[in-house]
């Protein structure tokens, strides 16, 4: 099974992120990937891994029943998935993602003191979210 989990890592917002202050993804009709990720992470810091969040989005978008989760999760991760560096939260909406030693994650607004502390933490692997446009 493939994984998207990070450990002791901080994902900074993308270099071409259009905001300098984090935004809550707007809800317009059906919930987007950004809406689902944001709601899950803002209310539950350090309760989920990246794999958990990505599968939750997959399950929500496909309206899977909980009894289908185990088999569907196995199928979902049998092939590679884009990691959280490609999340709209880190690319577009100004949220950094911190992963602790157990792989559990939380998001932090780009303008927050916590975000700044994570960017300077030499004990964390520092990575950038993927750019939206090619350089």
């Amino acid at each position: 099974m493939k994984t998207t989990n990070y450990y002791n890592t901080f994902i900074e917002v993308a270099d071409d992120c259009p905001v300098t202050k984090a935004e809550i993804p707007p809800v317009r009709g059906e919930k987007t990937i950004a809406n689902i990720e944001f709601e899950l992470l803002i209310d539950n810091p350090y309760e989920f891994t990246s794999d958990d969040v990505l599968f939750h989005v997959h399950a929500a978008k496909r309206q899977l029943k909980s009894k289908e989760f185990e088999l569907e999760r196995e199928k979902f991760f049998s092939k590679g998935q884009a990691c959280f560096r490609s999340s709209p939260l880190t690319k577009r909406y100004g949220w950094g993602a911190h992963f602790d030693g157990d792989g559990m994650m939380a998001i932090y607004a780009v303008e927050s003191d916590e975000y700044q502390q994570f960017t300077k933490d030499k004990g964390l692997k520092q990575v950038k979210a993927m750019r939206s446009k090619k350089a």
Side-chain angles (χ1 to χ4, degrees):
M1 209 160 89
K2 297 176 177 24
T3 185
T4 65
N5 291 341
Y6 285 94
Y7 301 90
N8 295 316
T9 302
F10 187 66
I11 299 176
E12 295 179 47
V13 298
D15 286 335
D16 63 349
C17 182
V19 300
T20 56
K21 185 175 183 209
E23 297 177 350
I24 297 172
V27 178
R28 298 183 194 110
E30 187 179 324
K31 286 185 181 180
T32 64
I33 290 169
N35 297 136
I36 297 166
E37 288 176 348
F38 180 79
E39 289 174 3
L40 195 62
L41 291 168
I42 205 70
D43 292 335
N44 305 288
Y46 300 107
E47 289 190 30
F48 299 104
T49 64
S50 177
D51 283 356
D52 295 336
V53 173
L54 295 177
F55 181 73
H56 186 88
V57 169
H58 171 78
K61 294 298 259 177
R62 284 156 188 77
Q63 299 177 340
L64 298 178
K65 311 248 183 301
S66 57
K67 66 181 180 189
E68 301 172 296
F69 279 15
E70 191 173 328
L71 180 60
E72 280 295 320
R73 186 175 173 117
E74 197 172 300
K75 262 178 28 183
F76 182 71
F77 287 109
S78 68
K79 52 186 180 273
Q81 299 296 327
C83 70
F84 216 79
R85 291 180 55 223
S86 66
S87 165
L89 295 181
T90 59
K91 289 175 63 169
R92 159 68 185 89
Y93 292 104
W95 296 91
H98 174 250
F99 299 83
D100 67 15
D102 295 322
M104 306 309 251
M105 66 182 296
I107 55 174
Y108 293 89
V110 67
E111 72 278 9
S112 70
D113 291 338
E114 294 94 342
Y115 181 98
Q116 297 309 315
Q117 290 171 341
F118 285 127
T119 64
K120 295 175 178 116
D121 187 338
K122 302 292 185 212
L124 294 175
K125 179 178 179 183
Q126 303 286 331
V127 294
K128 290 266 191 182
M130 294 176 165
R131 297 173 56 88
S132 294
K133 300 174 187 96
K134 292 186 178 180

